[in-house]
PDB file of all heavy atoms in Angstrom:
ATOM      1  N   ILE A 109      22.906 265.683 280.580  1.00  0.00           N
ATOM      2  CA  ILE A 109      23.818 264.696 281.139  1.00  0.00           C
ATOM      3  C   ILE A 109      25.244 265.031 280.724  1.00  0.00           C
ATOM      4  O   ILE A 109      25.477 265.536 279.622  1.00  0.00           O
ATOM      5  CB  ILE A 109      23.432 263.267 280.677  1.00  0.00           C
ATOM      6  CG1 ILE A 109      24.199 262.209 281.476  1.00  0.00           C
ATOM      7  CG2 ILE A 109      23.669 263.081 279.195  1.00  0.00           C
ATOM      8  CD1 ILE A 109      23.688 260.799 281.228  1.00  0.00           C
ATOM      9  N   ARG A 110      26.176 264.797 281.636  1.00  0.00           N
ATOM     10  CA  ARG A 110      27.584 265.038 281.358  1.00  0.00           C
ATOM     11  C   ARG A 110      28.369 263.780 281.673  1.00  0.00           C
ATOM     12  O   ARG A 110      28.449 263.363 282.832  1.00  0.00           O
ATOM     13  CB  ARG A 110      28.103 266.209 282.191  1.00  0.00           C
ATOM     14  CG  ARG A 110      29.560 266.579 281.901  1.00  0.00           C
ATOM     15  CD  ARG A 110      29.906 267.860 282.619  1.00  0.00           C
ATOM     16  NE  ARG A 110      31.277 268.285 282.355  1.00  0.00           N
ATOM     17  CZ  ARG A 110      31.822 269.408 282.859  1.00  0.00           C
ATOM     18  NH1 ARG A 110      31.091 270.216 283.599  1.00  0.00           N
ATOM     19  NH2 ARG A 110      33.067 269.721 282.588  1.00  0.00           N
ATOM     20  N   LEU A 111      28.918 263.159 280.647  1.00  0.00           N
ATOM     21  CA  LEU A 111      29.736 261.962 280.813  1.00  0.00           C
ATOM     22  C   LEU A 111      31.204 262.361 280.838  1.00  0.00           C
ATOM     23  O   LEU A 111      31.674 263.095 279.968  1.00  0.00           O
ATOM     24  CB  LEU A 111      29.515 261.006 279.642  1.00  0.00           C
ATOM     25  CG  LEU A 111      28.359 260.011 279.729  1.00  0.00           C
ATOM     26  CD1 LEU A 111      28.195 259.306 278.391  1.00  0.00           C
ATOM     27  CD2 LEU A 111      28.593 258.994 280.823  1.00  0.00           C
ATOM     28  N   VAL A 112      31.928 261.876 281.843  1.00  0.00           N
ATOM     29  CA  VAL A 112      33.360 262.128 281.943  1.00  0.00           C
ATOM     30  C   VAL A 112      34.038 260.759 282.001  1.00  0.00           C
ATOM     31  O   VAL A 112      33.937 260.054 283.005  1.00  0.00           O
ATOM     32  CB  VAL A 112      33.709 262.964 283.192  1.00  0.00           C
ATOM     33  CG1 VAL A 112      35.195 263.322 283.190  1.00  0.00           C
ATOM     34  CG2 VAL A 112      32.860 264.226 283.258  1.00  0.00           C
ATOM     35  N   SER A 113      34.702 260.383 280.917  1.00  0.00           N
ATOM     36  CA  SER A 113      35.334 259.070 280.835  1.00  0.00           C
ATOM     37  C   SER A 113      36.832 259.168 281.100  1.00  0.00           C
ATOM     38  O   SER A 113      37.467 260.184 280.786  1.00  0.00           O
ATOM     39  CB  SER A 113      35.107 258.447 279.455  1.00  0.00           C
ATOM     40  OG  SER A 113      33.756 258.091 279.278  1.00  0.00           O
ATOM     41  N   PHE A 114      37.382 258.094 281.661  1.00  0.00           N
ATOM     42  CA  PHE A 114      38.806 258.025 281.991  1.00  0.00           C
ATOM     43  C   PHE A 114      39.366 256.702 281.477  1.00  0.00           C
ATOM     44  O   PHE A 114      38.744 255.644 281.616  1.00  0.00           O
ATOM     45  CB  PHE A 114      39.026 258.092 283.504  1.00  0.00           C
ATOM     46  CG  PHE A 114      38.421 259.291 284.175  1.00  0.00           C
ATOM     47  CD1 PHE A 114      37.100 259.262 284.617  1.00  0.00           C
ATOM     48  CD2 PHE A 114      39.161 260.446 284.368  1.00  0.00           C
ATOM     49  CE1 PHE A 114      36.537 260.363 285.254  1.00  0.00           C
ATOM     50  CE2 PHE A 114      38.603 261.550 284.998  1.00  0.00           C
ATOM     51  CZ  PHE A 114      37.287 261.513 285.442  1.00  0.00           C
ATOM     52  N   ASP A 115      40.554 256.749 280.915  1.00  0.00           N
ATOM     53  CA  ASP A 115      41.265 255.534 280.541  1.00  0.00           C
ATOM     54  C   ASP A 115      42.705 255.914 280.243  1.00  0.00           C
ATOM     55  O   ASP A 115      43.009 257.080 279.995  1.00  0.00           O
ATOM     56  CB  ASP A 115      40.627 254.857 279.326  1.00  0.00           C
ATOM     57  CG  ASP A 115      40.753 253.331 279.393  1.00  0.00           C
ATOM     58  OD1 ASP A 115      41.873 252.847 279.666  1.00  0.00           O
ATOM     59  OD2 ASP A 115      39.742 252.639 279.195  1.00  0.00           O
ATOM     60  N   ASN A 116      43.583 254.913 280.265  1.00  0.00           N
ATOM     61  CA  ASN A 116      44.985 255.199 279.933  1.00  0.00           C
ATOM     62  C   ASN A 116      45.305 254.856 278.484  1.00  0.00           C
ATOM     63  O   ASN A 116      46.451 254.988 278.048  1.00  0.00           O
ATOM     64  CB  ASN A 116      45.938 254.453 280.879  1.00  0.00           C
ATOM     65  CG  ASN A 116      45.812 252.944 280.772  1.00  0.00           C
ATOM     66  OD1 ASN A 116      45.021 252.427 279.975  1.00  0.00           O
ATOM     67  ND2 ASN A 116      46.578 252.235 281.582  1.00  0.00           N
ATOM     68  N   SER A 117      44.286 254.415 277.735  1.00  0.00           N
ATOM     69  CA  SER A 117      44.503 254.066 276.333  1.00  0.00           C
ATOM     70  C   SER A 117      43.205 254.208 275.553  1.00  0.00           C
ATOM     71  O   SER A 117      42.120 253.880 276.061  1.00  0.00           O
ATOM     72  CB  SER A 117      45.019 252.630 276.213  1.00  0.00           C
ATOM     73  OG  SER A 117      45.078 252.233 274.858  1.00  0.00           O
ATOM     74  N   ILE A 118      43.308 254.669 274.326  1.00  0.00           N
ATOM     75  CA  ILE A 118      42.166 254.756 273.427  1.00  0.00           C
ATOM     76  C   ILE A 118      42.047 253.507 272.565  1.00  0.00           C
ATOM     77  O   ILE A 118      41.055 253.324 271.843  1.00  0.00           O
ATOM     78  CB  ILE A 118      42.306 256.016 272.529  1.00  0.00           C
ATOM     79  CG1 ILE A 118      40.940 256.446 271.976  1.00  0.00           C
ATOM     80  CG2 ILE A 118      43.291 255.773 271.397  1.00  0.00           C
ATOM     81  CD1 ILE A 118      40.014 257.000 273.009  1.00  0.00           C
ATOM     82  N   GLU A 119      43.022 252.604 272.656  1.00  0.00           N
ATOM     83  CA  GLU A 119      43.077 251.467 271.740  1.00  0.00           C
ATOM     84  C   GLU A 119      41.895 250.500 271.848  1.00  0.00           C
ATOM     85  O   GLU A 119      41.435 249.973 270.828  1.00  0.00           O
ATOM     86  CB  GLU A 119      44.400 250.721 271.892  1.00  0.00           C
ATOM     87  CG  GLU A 119      45.614 251.529 271.444  1.00  0.00           C
ATOM     88  CD  GLU A 119      45.428 252.147 270.061  1.00  0.00           C
ATOM     89  OE1 GLU A 119      45.005 251.406 269.135  1.00  0.00           O
ATOM     90  OE2 GLU A 119      45.690 253.343 269.905  1.00  0.00           O
TER      91      GLU A 119
END
Side-chain angles (χ1 to χ4, degrees):
I109 191 170
R110 183 172 181 179
L111 273 172
V112 185
S113 291
F114 304 87
D115 213 312
N116 63 1
S117 173
I118 202 70
E119 293 310 312

